[in-house]
Amino acid sequence: MSTPRLFSLSRKEGWNRYVTMPARQRPDSLTRTQLSALSAPAREEYNDQRHDWHANSGIIQTPQLAAIHEELDQIVASNRQDGDRIRSAAVIDALPGLGKTTIANQYGRAYDRQQRQRLGPVTAEGNERVPVFRVGLTSNTTLRTLNQMICEFYGHPATSRATAQALASHALDCVLNCESRLGIIDDIHFIDLDRKDGLAVSNHLKWLANELPVTFVYVGVGLAERRFFADGLSGKNTVLAQTARRWTRLGVDPFHLTTDQGRRHWRSLIKASERQLVLTDHRPGTLPALADYLFERTSGHIGSYFTLLTRGCYRAIRTGAEALDRGLLDQVRLDEASEQARQQLAAALAHGTLSSEVGAAS
């Protein structure tokens, strides 16, 4: 029976599985006759395989992903400073639903594989090599819990009762012993700089960047608006902020239809994702013909777009329609932001008045 591959990227074992697992096998495309010939259990298994495939059919190399990976390559490759020097960091900062976490994880996965292939699975001292560590923050992250999460990623045994200072020392030992070179910290927008605990965590990120010989890649939402780059300072005091001088901000833009290039990129995404569909009666070219409609439904946000496809494929299989069209996709509910923006975008597309302001408002 087909089952999802369940693991946590916040644990070394889960991250290793993510890095090393083989590509998912695409289910065969069956004709109507072949589909009808399946027994009830066989058809249920086949449909289950297709549901897993449509939900995990692979990452499409979008222009946004390629551009940020190129920038990250440059930043990481340039961070060759000796231990007494400060390394710069990258921060992927954008609106929700634009694939920030996916972009960071995919880069970390490729970097991890490259490091293991070049340097081997163990260090010269005989320790397990862990090229990348990754943690995701929570809304109640404190200085202690941040150190604890890094230690827990490596599986350090002394995490339950140790002090924040001891955990920081353990985290440093883990990074040094495992020769980690890249650290991904997701959801840093949960750090509230208006609170004492939040400011302490923000300052601790600077300490980690000073002490750990890694390049940090931070991921968050609306960090510029939250004054993250200003360290929570305002007015003339913003010149004192260290973060703005150390972090390189990498934005992720939604797809747009306001230029010919934007339309080409949007249609390329649709064509690439349509090739991944395993539906008996779906005909190539159906989705590209619905390019404006799909933009209307998703506001050009890649997360919403793939949610629409995944849920649409589930409905197409469950109902026996075995194809995606506008009528079926109209029955799929999406995230609230996409649903609220739909009417405005539909009117702009119908009248040929779509503008960058409309796209930004969505």
Side-chain angles (χ1 to χ4, degrees), residues 15-277:
W15 177 263
N16 287 345
R17 186 176 180 188
Y18 168 68
V19 169
T20 61
M21 66 183 181
R24 190 177 296 269
Q25 293 298 307
R26 178 191 178 104
D28 294 332
S29 296
L30 302 183
T31 65
R32 274 286 179 179
T33 301
Q34 292 171 323
L35 194 62
S36 300
L38 294 177
S39 65
R43 182 160 184 164
E44 182 178 359
E45 172 64 18
Y46 176 63
N47 289 344
D48 204 41
Q49 291 175 358
R50 291 195 289 168
H51 293 324
D52 281 348
W53 169 256
H54 289 138
N56 304 279
S57 55
I59 305 300
I60 293 175
Q61 185 85 349
T62 64
Q64 294 91 328
L65 183 146
I68 291 187
H69 279 194
E70 184 176 352
E71 292 279 4
L72 289 174
D73 271 337
Q74 178 177 274
I75 293 169
V76 173
S78 299
N79 275 352
R80 298 173 179 264
Q81 294 86 349
D82 293 334
D84 62 322
R85 302 197 179 193
I86 304 301
R87 294 167 180 78
S88 59
V91 54
I92 304 175
D93 176 25
L95 296 172
L98 296 178
K100 300 178 300 299
T101 296
T102 298
I103 290 172
N105 290 342
Q106 283 288 308
Y107 183 81
R109 183 188 193 194
Y111 181 81
D112 194 304
R113 286 179 167 180
Q114 181 268 332
Q115 288 287 296
R116 290 177 192 266
Q117 182 178 15
R118 186 169 70 88
L119 301 174
V122 297
T123 68
E125 288 73 26
N127 299 315
E128 178 186 9
R129 186 181 304 283
V130 183
V132 178
F133 73 83
R134 180 203 174 277
V135 297
L137 304 190
T138 65
S139 58
N140 59 351
T141 297
T142 64
L143 188 152
R144 183 183 185 282
T145 57
L146 173 57
N147 293 332
Q148 184 177 19
M149 284 187 284
I150 296 175
C151 291
E152 287 177 344
F153 175 89
Y154 289 94
H156 195 288
T159 58
S160 58
R161 297 183 180 179
T163 64
Q165 184 176 359
L167 287 169
S169 179
H170 295 329
L172 177 58
D173 289 340
C174 288
V175 170
L176 292 175
N177 291 335
C178 297
E179 296 189 1
S180 301
R181 293 294 177 262
L182 185 71
I184 299 174
I185 300 185
D186 200 358
D187 292 327
I188 63 168
H189 52 267
F190 280 134
I191 300 173
D192 186 352
L193 297 180
D194 292 327
R195 294 178 51 187
K196 183 178 179 180
D197 283 349
L199 193 57
V201 173
S202 177
N203 289 331
H204 189 59
L205 291 178
K206 300 184 187 71
W207 181 87
L208 291 174
N210 291 344
E211 297 299 322
L212 302 186
V214 304
T215 298
F216 278 98
V217 176
Y218 304 110
V219 183
V221 175
L223 300 179
E225 292 78 5
R226 298 170 193 267
R227 296 182 291 123
F228 247 85
F229 298 95
D231 293 338
L233 301 173
S234 59
K236 63 181 182 180
N237 291 326
T238 56
V239 298
L240 303 176
Q242 292 179 311
T243 297
R245 292 292 182 182
R246 295 185 178 183
W247 289 12
T248 299
R249 181 182 180 275
L250 306 176
V252 185
D253 294 325
F255 285 87
H256 63 86
L257 304 184
T258 55
T259 65
D260 289 341
Q261 184 184 58
R263 286 185 172 274
R264 285 195 302 272
H265 288 165
W266 180 242
R267 287 180 64 85
S268 293
L269 171 68
I270 295 172
K271 289 178 181 178
S273 56
E274 186 179 56
R275 288 193 291 269
Q276 296 180 342
L277 303 184

